Amino acid sequence: MKRLIKRGLMFGNMVRVDSPALITRYNRALGKLAGRTTELSEFHIDISGFSPEIGEEFGDEAYLNPGGCNRQFIILTVDQKKAPLLNASFSTSRGILKRFMADNEAKLFALTAHDAIAGELENSVYDITNLRDLLAIRNITVAADTTQSHVANARKLAEKIEHFQTGERAWYDDALIDEMIDLARETGDVTRVPVDLGTPTYEQGNFWTAHFGGLYVFRDVDDPALIALGDDTALKDAPFDRRYGPDDTNGIASFLKKNELVEPVIKARGVDGARILRQKMQFMLVDAAASAGMDLGDMGDRALRRVATRLGDDLPEAFQGLAAMVRWAESGGKWPKINSRHPAYFYTLRARPDHPDRDLINQLLSELAPMDVRQLFICHKQAFYDAYATWPDEKREFVAEFLHRDYMANKAGARARLFGGDEGDTASSARHTPRNNPWASQAKQAKQRDDLIDVVGPWGAVTRRR
């Protein structure tokens, strides 16, 4: 993993904590939440305040996430909002924390100037032992306060100020005035600088969870379904009419199409679909060559073309399917017959950019198309790290260098090209005609091509589930 860490592809944007004052504050919060403290003089934290170094010190990677159910968090600085979330149990957790910090940034800035904030993502379930416990989670409430109860005291002071201003003869209540003065010493002037964080609640509709081997729960769609791409034993007792395991690609394809969750990359507005497919082919080629023990040379385009020539008929079927799609897009080649049984099928798709669950859908697609290492890294980092650990050394070097050069240099631009916008941006992008397409100026032929896509999609008709 050293290659990834060196290039900022692992533990990137983590917040370094090396100040004695911040460590003291962190320990106060940690003692309040977990009943223990760290002896480290330097460590790094993610958006939730989790530190992999402290996890190693404790021998407990879940010291802020006991049971993987109600995630606890420690905020030392608002800079944490840019950090990743490690060891996530739910796909919604980072988004909730990020939104909470953005909505309360000024208050958090004022509070963290003097103390750490300890909190929890609370739901109605305290232990997940079966699938029904998991599905009972609908709403997540953020409860947070400083270790010295600034928020609770600010609420008390606000209530007393209200009583002082409206209560009969409250102006003559010396005890009330003394209490207000004592609280104000702790909280400051809450009328000018409010510090009440509230208890905002966020709905958890469609989500992914690491529980039960990894599950995708789609319940807020027209045709709900439960998808397990790991261990599918949990599907047996699921209260869903539609349940899909890792081998039911036809069922998953039908689900995505019926709920209008995806669109073909080759038809996507504002992107060069053929170029994206060529890059996916490059990843497949590197995987095939590394698995065969072939020398990738300098890993440049010419070297990879020579590798493709040497592999010949041994090229993956998915590679050949995408090659046919690129030929069709760029030079009007033969229409490729790629249905939901074809290994290239899910590589031809992306989530609809305007869908509120775009990131979740792209995460699902990244598991269904694992040779697209760039999408796997962007959309499902833990799955990427798990896969990376199993790759030959030469493939690790290629992937690490590619991601460092192509993605890290312009993350927002890469997301826009691939998925239609930055993280959290669900706006549709403008129509763009792919480069190197000699037929682009021929309006009639272009319209015929778009009509054909509308009828059967870029992959052909979805194979019906038998």
Side-chain angles (χ1 to χ4, degrees), residues 264-303:
V265 173
I266 209 70
K267 189 186 177 185
R269 299 179 182 274
V271 300
D272 187 340
R275 181 185 179 189
I276 292 175
L277 294 187
R278 281 190 179 279
Q279 289 174 325
K280 293 174 187 275
M281 291 167 57
Q282 192 177 50
F283 304 145
M284 295 175 183
L285 184 59
V286 170
D287 179 77
S291 298
M294 297 176 62
D295 182 11
L296 294 175
D298 61 2
M299 301 186 190
D301 290 342
R302 289 186 177 181

Side-chain angles (χ1 to χ4, degrees), residues 425-439:
D425 176 15
T426 58
S428 298
S429 51
R431 176 74 178 180
H432 174 69
T433 302
R435 295 196 303 268
N436 303 322
N437 185 351
W439 293 17

Side-chain angles (χ1 to χ4, degrees), residues 277-334:
L277 294 187
R278 281 190 179 279
Q279 289 174 325
K280 293 174 187 275
M281 291 167 57
Q282 192 177 50
F283 304 145
M284 295 175 183
L285 184 59
V286 170
D287 179 77
S291 298
M294 297 176 62
D295 182 11
L296 294 175
D298 61 2
M299 301 186 190
D301 290 342
R302 289 186 177 181
L304 292 178
R305 286 183 68 86
R306 288 195 297 270
V307 169
T309 302
R310 290 172 58 192
L311 284 171
D313 293 338
D314 293 329
L315 285 167
E317 188 178 357
F319 178 96
Q320 296 175 355
L322 292 188
M325 181 70 69
V326 170
R327 287 194 297 272
W328 172 81
E330 292 187 341
S331 57
K334 184 179 179 182

Side-chain angles (χ1 to χ4, degrees), residues 184-382:
R185 290 193 181 102
E186 297 288 334
T187 66
D189 187 351
V190 296
T191 60
R192 293 187 177 182
V193 185
V195 293
D196 191 344
L197 299 172
T199 52
T201 297
Y202 304 90
E203 184 177 358
Q204 182 164 280
N206 303 325
F207 63 93
W208 168 88
T209 177
H211 291 280
F212 307 107
L215 294 175
Y216 289 86
V217 179
F218 288 93
R219 53 189 176 188
D220 289 350
V221 293
D222 293 337
D223 195 31
L226 186 69
I227 300 174
L229 297 183
D231 183 6
D232 61 354
T233 55
L235 296 177
K236 297 177 181 178
D237 300 322
F240 280 78
D241 292 334
R242 289 170 175 77
R243 297 166 287 182
Y244 306 113
D247 297 325
D248 196 355
T249 55
N250 295 331
I252 296 172
S254 296
F255 162 77
L256 294 171
K257 189 173 188 298
K258 186 172 183 180
N259 287 284
E260 299 181 341
L261 302 180
V262 295
E263 67 178 13
V265 173
I266 209 70
K267 189 186 177 185
R269 299 179 182 274
V271 300
D272 187 340
R275 181 185 179 189
I276 292 175
L277 294 187
R278 281 190 179 279
Q279 289 174 325
K280 293 174 187 275
M281 291 167 57
Q282 192 177 50
F283 304 145
M284 295 175 183
L285 184 59
V286 170
D287 179 77
S291 298
M294 297 176 62
D295 182 11
L296 294 175
D298 61 2
M299 301 186 190
D301 290 342
R302 289 186 177 181
L304 292 178
R305 286 183 68 86
R306 288 195 297 270
V307 169
T309 302
R310 290 172 58 192
L311 284 171
D313 293 338
D314 293 329
L315 285 167
E317 188 178 357
F319 178 96
Q320 296 175 355
L322 292 188
M325 181 70 69
V326 170
R327 287 194 297 272
W328 172 81
E330 292 187 341
S331 57
K334 184 179 179 182
W335 174 257
K337 294 181 179 179
I338 302 176
N339 61 28
S340 56
R341 295 183 184 276
H342 198 288
Y345 176 76
F346 291 108
Y347 291 92
T348 68
L349 303 176
R350 75 173 189 177
R352 278 179 38 212
D354 59 344
H355 197 281
D357 292 307
R358 182 198 66 187
D359 293 342
L360 177 66
I361 299 162
N362 281 326
Q363 179 179 330
L364 171 62
L365 291 173
S366 74
E367 289 203 69
L368 294 167
M371 283 188 288
D372 185 352
V373 292
R374 176 175 52 189
Q375 180 160 329
L376 190 64
F377 174 78
I378 296 173
C379 300
H380 199 345
K381 283 188 173 54
Q382 190 57 55

Side-chain angles (χ1 to χ4, degrees), residues 98-111:
K98 188 175 180 180
R99 182 173 174 183
F100 171 73
M101 295 178 73
D103 291 345
N104 296 280
E105 185 165 0
K107 298 175 185 178
L108 292 173
F109 183 83
L111 290 169

